[in-house]
Amino acid sequence: MSAPAPAHEPMPARLAAGPLAYAKRRWWMLVVGDLLIAIAAYRLAFLLRSFVYIPLFRGLLPMGVYHEVPHLLWLVVGSQAFWLHMGGVYDTTDSRQGIFPRILQALMLHVFFLIVVYYFTKNFGFPRSVFLTYFVLDLLFLSAWHSLVRNFVRSRRPLRTMIVGLSRQGESLVARAREGSLGNIEMVGFAWAEGEPGAVGATFAGYPVLGSWEDLPRLVVEHGVDEVLLAPGPSWQDRLLGALSRESISRTRILVAPTSYETVIGRLEFLNLEDVLTLELTRNPVSPSMRAAKRVFDVVTALTLLILLSPLILIAIILTKLQDGGPVFFRQERVGQHMRPFRISKFRSMRPDAEAQTGPVLATVSDPRVTPWGRFMRATRIDELPQLWNV
């Protein structure tokens, strides 16, 4: 671990890109490599069954079987990609986090899915022993590939780390960092948590105190911080639990009304970085392949519903036009993902001049501006159907 950096040290320009660029490179290498491994392991499984005797199976498998049975390579590759994504294998490419349990779980579901598909498609001539061989080979290759990529395709510079909390837990994290338990990190300094006494320019555990927790957004940018570890001192909740544990209250229920922070961390998983148990509050965005898969699913589903509901949509268009001769659709600008504006379309449920005097306002339960047909559409959500086109 590097020596303490002075509080006034500016962020070097070369540090701006580091870990994120390598994380994207690792992600692409892992995904492409995993797809190739699926094909290689599948073909090698047949080869091994033809030349290597495996206990518990009857003799060697004739190589001619490979050309006789149906091969659904597209299904093998697609299924592996799907289950690895669903198993969270690509959620993080941090080399400090163990990935083998996720790969094992994903491959068990992947191979089980293939067995079910081959069974229900009546491919009874397919050698079942190949599935076991494929599972073992795939697990070995994937584990080796992920370990290789995660450990060698990474920035050689340490992760710049800041700790929030002038506490014993903060001192403990520094000690673990010096032992190498947190991986290759460079301690930038400390920020004091709310309620803690602190002063800019002081030192704690051998590192500079750079500011308070309220200064964190600015400090992260100024010092090029890659990771922030929250290590505040014991809260009143911790002291309360300690007091309750010393009393006999086994018959009393203790309920907690969670804050927003507690609600967020309650939905997260523990991340074991080397030997330190942590919670990741800010997670990486959805991977490009998952975004693409979701987009394909959204478009296909929307088109399917548009086709199936086209008779109802046609009726709604006719009745909306006949009710007062006004326009069929109501369009309004909304803000979507990444704060990008777009125009939403709905079947018009109000009079054409409903907002002429008041401008855009929220509708009430018995809004006089709503037409009788419009009230029915709102009750049945028919007026929302054009949003399928927005998708």
Side-chain angles (χ1 to χ4, degrees):
M1 187 178 67
S2 304
H8 63 274
E9 179 184 2
M11 179 188 68
R14 63 181 178 84
L15 297 183
L20 182 59
Y22 278 93
K24 291 181 179 179
R25 190 178 307 174
R26 284 194 299 269
W27 188 90
W28 281 109
M29 291 183 65
L30 290 174
V31 171
V32 174
D34 291 351
L35 298 180
L36 297 176
I37 285 174
I39 299 175
Y42 179 84
R43 292 183 178 274
L44 188 56
F46 272 92
L47 188 65
L48 285 178
R49 285 292 293 116
S50 300
F51 294 100
V52 179
Y53 173 73
I54 301 178
L56 304 180
F57 294 105
R58 294 182 299 177
L60 298 177
L61 185 69
M63 196 58 191
V65 173
Y66 181 83
H67 303 285
E68 297 174 1
V69 299
H71 300 289
L72 305 177
L73 279 179
W74 63 270
L75 180 66
V76 173
V77 173
S79 172
Q80 172 154 297
F82 174 80
W83 289 112
L84 288 176
H85 277 289
M86 292 299 294
V89 173
Y90 304 117
D91 283 356
T92 176
T93 59
D94 195 322
S95 60
R96 298 170 297 170
Q97 184 184 358
I99 203 65
F100 179 79
R102 294 190 182 191
I103 293 178
L104 177 61
Q105 182 182 28
L107 286 189
M108 291 176 65
L109 294 172
H110 165 51
V111 173
F112 178 75
F113 172 77
L114 292 179
I115 293 174
V116 171
V117 170
Y118 273 80
Y119 176 81
F120 282 102
T121 54
K122 307 299 182 182
N123 290 324
F124 298 114
F126 193 91
R128 298 301 185 264
S129 59
V130 171
F131 284 121
L132 177 60
T133 310
Y134 167 72
F135 171 77
V136 174
L137 291 173
D138 207 17
L139 180 62
L140 292 176
F141 292 163
L142 286 177
S143 300
W145 175 242
H146 277 252
S147 177
L148 182 69
V149 172
R150 290 168 184 266
N151 284 283
F152 288 95
V153 184
R154 60 178 178 177
S155 175
R156 297 305 167 189
R157 75 167 177 85
L159 292 174
R160 294 173 63 82
T161 303
M162 177 179 288
I163 297 179
V164 178
L166 309 181
S167 61
R168 289 185 178 179
Q169 189 177 6
E171 290 179 316
S172 175
L173 288 174
V174 170
R176 286 173 174 265
R178 286 173 174 157
E179 297 169 356
S181 298
L182 298 182
N184 185 23
I185 72 168
E186 175 188 357
M187 277 293 301
V188 175
F190 280 86
W192 66 81
E194 185 177 14
E196 294 179 340
V200 176
T203 60
F204 184 81
Y207 292 92
V209 177
L210 304 175
S212 74
W213 62 276
E214 295 175 309
D215 302 322
L216 198 58
R218 174 180 59 82
L219 295 175
V220 165
V221 175
E222 287 183 358
H223 296 272
V225 176
D226 298 312
E227 287 187 345
V228 175
L229 292 175
L230 305 183
S235 63
W236 67 268
Q237 294 98 325
D238 297 314
R239 294 192 293 271
L240 174 61
L241 288 177
L244 293 176
S245 66
R246 294 190 295 269
E247 303 293 336
S248 178
I249 58 167
S250 58
R251 297 181 182 179
T252 304
R253 294 179 66 194
I254 300 177
L255 306 178
V256 177
T259 63
S260 300
Y261 172 79
E262 290 160 343
T263 302
V264 169
I265 65 175
R267 298 173 182 171
L268 301 177
E269 298 178 356
F270 284 100
L271 302 180
N272 194 349
L273 300 182
E274 302 292 349
D275 64 345
V276 178
L277 208 57
T278 63
L279 280 170
E280 184 180 10
L281 295 185
T282 57
R283 309 195 68 173
N284 291 329
V286 179
S287 61
S289 58
M290 287 299 286
R291 286 199 301 268
K294 181 183 182 301
R295 183 59 184 158
V296 170
F297 174 81
D298 291 344
V299 172
V300 171
T301 303
L303 288 175
T304 303
L305 290 175
L306 280 172
I307 294 172
L308 294 177
L309 299 175
S310 56
L312 178 59
I313 293 174
L314 181 60
I315 293 174
I317 291 174
I318 295 173
L319 293 179
T320 302
K321 188 66 178 178
L322 290 178
Q323 64 180 347
D324 52 22
V328 173
F329 298 103
F330 168 77
R331 293 181 174 87
Q332 192 177 54
E333 188 173 273
R334 301 285 177 86
V335 177
Q337 189 178 27
H338 305 307
M339 302 302 292
R340 293 176 181 171
F342 71 99
R343 295 188 65 81
I344 191 174
S345 298
K346 301 171 65 173
F347 285 126
R348 181 176 57 85
S349 59
M350 291 186 176
R351 302 192 312 267
D353 59 346
E355 296 181 345
Q357 300 296 328
T358 62
V361 294
L362 294 176
T364 59
V365 176
S366 301
D367 199 318
R369 300 172 299 168
V370 180
T371 64
W373 167 241
R375 186 166 287 107
F376 175 80
M377 286 197 297
R378 288 189 171 204
T380 56
R381 297 295 187 268
I382 293 177
D383 62 323
E384 307 287 353
L385 291 181
Q387 292 190 55
L388 292 172
W389 180 253
N390 284 122
V391 174

